[in-house]
Amino acid sequence: MGWQFSSDFENSMVLDAYVFGPADTPYEDGVFRFEVKISAKYPFAQPKFKLLTPFYHPSSNTIINPTPHSLCTCCEIKDHNPMMTISFYLDIFRKSLKHAQFSHLESAANCCCDPFMKQQIATSPELFDKKANQIAR
């Protein structure tokens, strides 16, 4: 599965979600904590996710521990529908942690992903992996 979530019984509109770093990636052994806010209109309204864990990834608008953290707009899902559950979004995030998902960064000329990290992945992937692994633990 790669993730889990729980809620506070006093406020079921705010969940804690945890995504586990995938094996064979720089994020292996990392645990990424999210605050997930759902509205009374859920599942028709998209849940709001805030990443609370330090994060080194090119789709981050800021490099480490943004508050609130958001993923780059070219990497986000734009058209929410009721079939897109919280689990669906957590799976998308987990899949984004795999290097194979970075292939779109090369072709996205208008991508707002961090240019330094895109370059680092292209020229020194082992350095990127080391830094991402250090931060993820």
Side-chain angles (χ1 to χ4, degrees):
M1 175 166 46
W3 50 261
Q4 71 181 32
F5 54 91
S6 62
S7 67
D8 178 350
F9 292 108
E10 293 180 21
N11 186 1
S12 61
M13 304 302 269
V14 178
L15 307 172
D16 281 329
Y18 300 88
V19 175
F20 305 104
D24 302 320
T25 72
Y27 307 102
E28 185 172 14
D29 299 324
V31 179
F32 300 89
R33 180 175 172 228
F34 287 87
E35 176 185 85
V36 183
K37 292 184 179 180
I38 55 176
S39 74
K41 295 180 182 181
Y42 179 79
F44 299 101
Q46 185 173 356
K48 304 294 183 201
F49 292 83
K50 181 164 72 169
L51 181 59
L52 304 174
T53 304
F55 186 55
Y56 190 76
H57 189 279
S59 70
S60 170
N61 285 338
T62 56
I63 296 177
I64 301 172
N65 207 21
T67 307
H69 175 81
S70 61
L71 295 180
C72 112
T73 53
C74 69
C75 301
E76 292 177 345
I77 308 268
K78 307 246 188 291
D79 297 316
H80 173 77
N81 72 58
M83 300 298 289
M84 296 174 172
T85 63
I86 293 169
S87 304
F88 171 83
Y89 286 101
L90 296 176
D91 282 338
I92 293 293
F93 175 80
R94 190 165 192 269
K95 288 176 184 174
S96 79
L97 297 177
K98 296 184 178 181
H99 270 214
Q101 300 297 316
F102 296 166
S103 59
H104 78 284
L105 300 177
E106 301 293 324
S107 60
N110 61 346
C111 181
C112 61
C113 290
D114 185 274
F116 171 78
M117 282 191 246
K118 287 186 346 184
Q119 181 68 22
Q120 190 178 50
I121 290 167
T123 60
S124 303
E126 63 288 333
L127 186 60
F128 174 86
D129 289 354
K130 181 178 179 183
K131 177 102 174 174
N133 185 265
Q134 287 172 339
I135 292 170
R137 291 179 176 223

